[in-house]
Amino acid sequence: MEWPDIIPADIASSRSRNGRSAVRARAGFNGATDFHNLLMVVAMPAGRYLPMVCVLALAGRLAKQQPGVVTVGTLRAHGVGLVVLATAASVILAWLNFQSALSLGAVADGLL
């Protein structure tokens, strides 16, 4: 890693590891400077709370919206139809996740 690449990598590492950096020991980088410590102090709360604030702002904006006009193509978000659709989608996705592992046994038996 070159010097210009160390600071962004260190910020990303600091945000995801509660201030502990995994990059400080690379390339002789001295992370014990006042600038670096202050940068990590700003990066850690920004990386943690900024996404939360953005999601809450988006949720507030969506909550303020007026309901649209109900037409033939509108998917209603209540009733049995939505429950069946959501359950079927989750069951299909779960089955697709495990299908490869389930078929490995038969493939391994065929190879032996």
Side-chain angles (χ1 to χ4, degrees):
M1 243 184 219
E2 296 296 322
W3 281 99
D5 297 335
I6 290 177
I7 295 290
D10 202 23
I11 290 172
S13 174
S14 175
R15 285 188 325 197
S16 62
R17 299 184 57 183
N18 294 329
R20 294 185 312 266
S21 173
V23 188
R24 287 187 185 178
R26 293 186 184 169
F29 180 68
N30 184 10
T33 62
D34 289 337
F35 169 74
H36 186 264
N37 289 335
L38 289 174
L39 186 66
M40 294 306 116
V41 164
V42 171
M44 203 170 41
R48 178 156 306 185
Y49 296 115
L50 191 62
M52 290 182 209
V53 169
C54 291
V55 167
L56 287 174
L58 180 64
R61 186 170 179 173
L62 290 175
K64 286 182 185 178
Q65 281 186 346
Q66 297 296 325
V69 179
V70 177
T71 62
V72 177
T74 304
L75 176 67
R76 299 184 184 215
H78 63 295
V80 178
L82 183 70
V83 172
V84 169
L85 182 66
T87 305
S90 61
V91 166
I92 289 170
L93 288 174
W95 179 74
L96 288 172
N97 268 334
F98 291 110
Q99 180 59 35
S100 59
L102 293 174
S103 63
L104 278 177
V107 170
D109 279 343
L111 292 175
L112 295 178

